[in-house]
Amino acid sequence: MRKDIVTGEMAPKKQLVRVVRNQEQEVSVDPTGKQSGRGAYIALDVDIAKRAKKERTFDHVFGVKVPDDFYDDLIAYVDHQQARRELFDND
């Protein structure tokens, strides 16, 4: 179980995506969940990803200025994963 940093709700790791900040202060999506760096989790839900962009959640969590492009990529990634889950629902 991991905590979604946007909603504060606990969820199984499979229902979340990890976002990581590396030593160079770069923030990226970590689909494997194994990249080194400071990690935070967000639910695989487009509305929550959009809320993260609106509230600039990762700027606050990681203490760095995260570009809008990252949030747009995150929303696209979450949308894709959410669609896959609906197609191949294997939970």
Side-chain angles (χ1 to χ4, degrees), residues 12-30:
K13 228 170 136 176
K14 285 177 110 179
Q15 296 175 11
L16 303 167
V17 63
R18 183 172 186 252
V19 174
V20 66
R21 182 198 71 207
N22 63 20
Q23 288 183 331
E24 291 78 36
Q25 308 301 312
E26 298 165 334
V27 177
S28 62
V29 174
D30 177 13

Side-chain angles (χ1 to χ4, degrees), residues 12-66:
K13 228 170 136 176
K14 285 177 110 179
Q15 296 175 11
L16 303 167
V17 63
R18 183 172 186 252
V19 174
V20 66
R21 182 198 71 207
N22 63 20
Q23 288 183 331
E24 291 78 36
Q25 308 301 312
E26 298 165 334
V27 177
S28 62
V29 174
D30 177 13
T32 64
K34 296 178 182 172
Q35 288 181 13
S36 64
R38 167 108 163 69
Y41 292 85
I42 182 172
L44 287 171
D45 183 320
V46 174
D47 293 333
I48 292 174
K50 288 179 179 176
R51 182 174 153 199
K53 179 179 181 180
K54 181 180 171 207
E55 297 174 2
R56 306 217 50 95
T57 302
F58 292 103
D59 295 49
H60 301 295
V61 169
F62 293 135
V64 296
K65 173 83 173 93
V66 179

